[in-house]
Amino acid sequence: MKPEPRPGQMPQGNVTGVVILGGAHGTLALARSLGAKDVPVWLVSTDTPLPGWSRRIRHKFDWPGPDDPNAISFLLDLAQKHGLAGALLIPGGDGEVRLVSQSIEALSPAFKIMLPSWDQLKFVCEKPLLYRRATELSVDIPPTYRFTSTEEAARAAIRFPVVLKPNMGGGGSELARAKVIRADDLASFDPVFQRAADEIGLDNVVVQELIPGGGEGQFSYSALWHDGKPVAEFTARRARQYPVDFGYTSTFVEVVDRPDAVDAARRLLTSIRHEGLVEIEFKRDARDGALRLLDVNPRPWSWFGLASAAGIDLGAMIWEIANGRDPGRQKTPRPGTAWMYLVRDMVSAVILISRGKLGVGDYLRSFGAVRAWATFSASDPLPGLLDIPVTAWRVLTRRILRLPARGSAGLAARNHPER
């Protein structure tokens, strides 16, 4: 008899396919990567319909979302009713990551899972724990404030400007929708901090000193880990983003060599014995040259498609590992290879050009490096064709009219996968 796997460890045996929970552009790229290998892919989502339009998705299931009290029962019933037992379960959004990681023991009879249990993963997902762990490991972070009351925050000697962020991604609150809110002085900080504390709780509001600069100084470490070690990894620069000052989604990303990001990421992920996909965001502080840790995303990220374009097919590799096979040696990523989210990058470019931070010629030349697009694919055209009206609708309803997302209830009810 084979021994039972410990939490976070995959049981042995062939995988029947892949079930992806939530996500947007990263989920779409992962589905395309797996589908190119004839891997059956099913999508379970309560958010954007974008990945479900891909011909690589066998079937899309709607569900009540990761914050629903019956979410685990729903997934177990889904596996039983639709013959999905034995599939690899990959969370595509922040709320889904927490749900799966916290419920590995309950889900393992039906699914295979490549993710650490929550008692490990929380140290990189919950920002106060993340920054504490980073400090212990001598990984630089932005100066961060902790307050025990709103009154204490109003009296504190804060070095402005600062940004306010939720403890973990997801949710329908003002702060969760914006992802980052800037405050340049106490007069603008007090009302925003008070509203955020009332909506999601004081302990869930992170206040950090703003690192100057835009996407040109923002770098990412992206990888697949197995048994607490990297299987494949590379670094990239988030050259443009939307909004341009601190974007909630990347718009132009290119492969670069950042050994300091690799070193910091390895220290952090080794400390939790990471398993699965991960993207870690850093920003270079031009004032002292330090590379400061911002966020960790243990799921497919928006520009996930850049990996295969650069010669590192993370989707194919995770499939091989899930089936107990050798994924092969990592190829050297092709420097300068780029990914673009065309619709939003055009907006970002116009703003940067108007500010004198980007030349028209430089913008046009950047198209020559693009080898992967957020939605467009000649072999899978429908998501690219429908992305423009869907993006316009989401901006109107969620950014302008401020309507709540369907199924949102609390901080973790809705994921924000577009990073």
Side-chain angles (χ1 to χ4, degrees), residues 224-244:
L224 171 63
W225 279 54
H226 180 50
D227 283 341
K229 295 177 291 186
V231 175
E233 57 189 356
F234 71 101
T235 51
R237 183 171 74 103
R238 186 174 176 169
R240 293 192 290 272
Q241 57 189 359
Y242 178 82
V244 297

Side-chain angles (χ1 to χ4, degrees), residues 27-36 54 56 373-377 380 383-384:
T27 290
L28 174 62
L30 175 59
R32 285 170 168 171
S33 175
L34 293 167
S54 170
R56 301 299 189 181
W373 303 90
T375 57
F376 174 75
S377 171
D380 186 27

Side-chain angles (χ1 to χ4, degrees), residues 74 99 135:
F74 177 92
L99 173 73
T135 301

Side-chain angles (χ1 to χ4, degrees), residues 44 94 129 304 319 329 359 384:
V44 179
D94 295 327
L129 296 179
F304 184 84
W319 176 248
R329 296 185 62 182

Side-chain angles (χ1 to χ4, degrees), residues 69-408:
N70 298 314
I72 299 300
S73 297
F74 177 92
L75 293 174
L76 295 175
D77 290 344
L78 189 75
Q80 182 178 15
K81 292 177 180 178
H82 296 277
L84 306 183
L88 175 65
L89 185 65
I90 301 179
D94 295 327
E96 288 84 350
V97 165
R98 175 156 42 192
L99 173 73
V100 173
S101 181
Q102 289 178 338
S103 310
I104 288 178
E105 290 190 7
L107 291 168
S108 290
F111 299 102
K112 297 187 178 182
I113 298 167
M114 285 188 71
L115 204 65
S117 60
W118 190 248
D119 60 353
Q120 299 167 268
L121 195 62
K122 67 182 180 182
F123 287 101
V124 297
C125 286
E126 295 187 2
K127 289 185 176 65
L129 296 179
L130 168 63
Y131 298 139
R132 185 189 311 165
R133 176 61 59 89
T135 301
E136 294 170 353
L137 297 172
S138 299
V139 174
D140 289 320
I141 63 171
T144 304
Y145 300 90
R146 293 299 304 274
F147 304 114
T148 58
S149 67
T150 54
E151 291 77 18
E152 179 187 2
R155 298 192 304 266
I158 300 173
R159 181 179 175 182
F160 290 99
V162 297
V163 292
L164 290 79
K165 302 187 287 188
N167 172 20
M168 185 173 172
S173 68
E174 175 187 0
L175 182 58
R177 289 195 304 268
K179 287 198 173 184
V180 178
I181 296 178
R182 174 173 175 164
D184 292 322
D185 49 39
L186 194 60
S188 60
F189 169 77
D190 277 348
V192 173
F193 184 78
Q194 180 69 61
R195 286 198 303 272
D198 289 343
E199 283 188 316
I200 63 176
L202 188 69
D203 292 340
N204 290 321
V205 183
V206 176
V207 180
Q208 280 185 337
E209 184 178 314
L210 174 67
I211 300 176
E216 73 283 350
Q218 196 154 321
F219 300 89
S220 288
Y221 167 88
S222 305
L224 171 63
W225 279 54
H226 180 50
D227 283 341
K229 295 177 291 186
V231 175
E233 57 189 356
F234 71 101
T235 51
R237 183 171 74 103
R238 186 174 176 169
R240 293 192 290 272
Q241 57 189 359
Y242 178 82
V244 297
D245 295 318
F246 22 75
Y248 59 81
T249 186
S250 306
T251 64
F252 183 78
V253 182
E254 57 186 351
V255 175
V256 297
D257 186 25
R258 290 296 306 208
D260 50 352
V262 173
D263 176 67
R266 285 180 176 177
R267 276 181 277 158
L268 189 63
L269 296 173
T270 299
S271 76
I272 66 164
R273 195 171 169 78
H274 187 62
E275 181 83 7
L277 298 168
V278 65
E279 184 242 0
I280 303 181
E281 298 176 8
F282 299 89
K283 190 167 185 179
R284 182 182 179 276
D285 194 332
R287 297 170 296 186
D288 60 6
L291 192 68
R292 304 195 186 279
L293 172 69
L294 297 180
D295 201 8
V296 177
N297 301 302
R299 51 165 173 77
W301 46 98
S302 65
W303 46 275
F304 184 84
L306 177 60
S308 57
I312 304 175
D313 193 339
L314 297 178
M317 287 182 173
I318 199 171
W319 176 248
E320 294 301 311
I321 292 173
N323 282 282
R325 299 190 290 260
D326 184 354
R329 296 185 62 182
Q330 173 183 330
K331 297 179 181 179
T332 301
R334 293 188 284 270
T337 305
W339 168 98
M340 181 181 285
Y341 186 179
L342 180 60
V343 178
R344 285 179 171 165
D345 193 59
M346 292 174 65
V347 178
S348 298
V350 169
I351 295 172
L352 291 171
I353 291 170
S354 69
R355 294 180 180 180
K357 295 184 176 181
L358 178 65
V360 174
D362 292 333
Y363 174 63
L364 295 176
R365 280 189 291 272
S366 70
F367 281 82
V370 177
R371 298 294 180 270
W373 303 90
T375 57
F376 174 75
S377 171
S379 62
D380 186 27
L382 191 57
L385 293 174
L386 296 177
D387 184 50
I388 294 176
V390 169
T391 298
W393 175 254
R394 287 166 66 88
V395 170
L396 174 65
T397 58
R398 298 186 185 180
R399 300 285 166 180
I400 300 176
L401 300 179
R402 301 291 183 180
L403 298 179
R406 178 170 58 90
S408 65

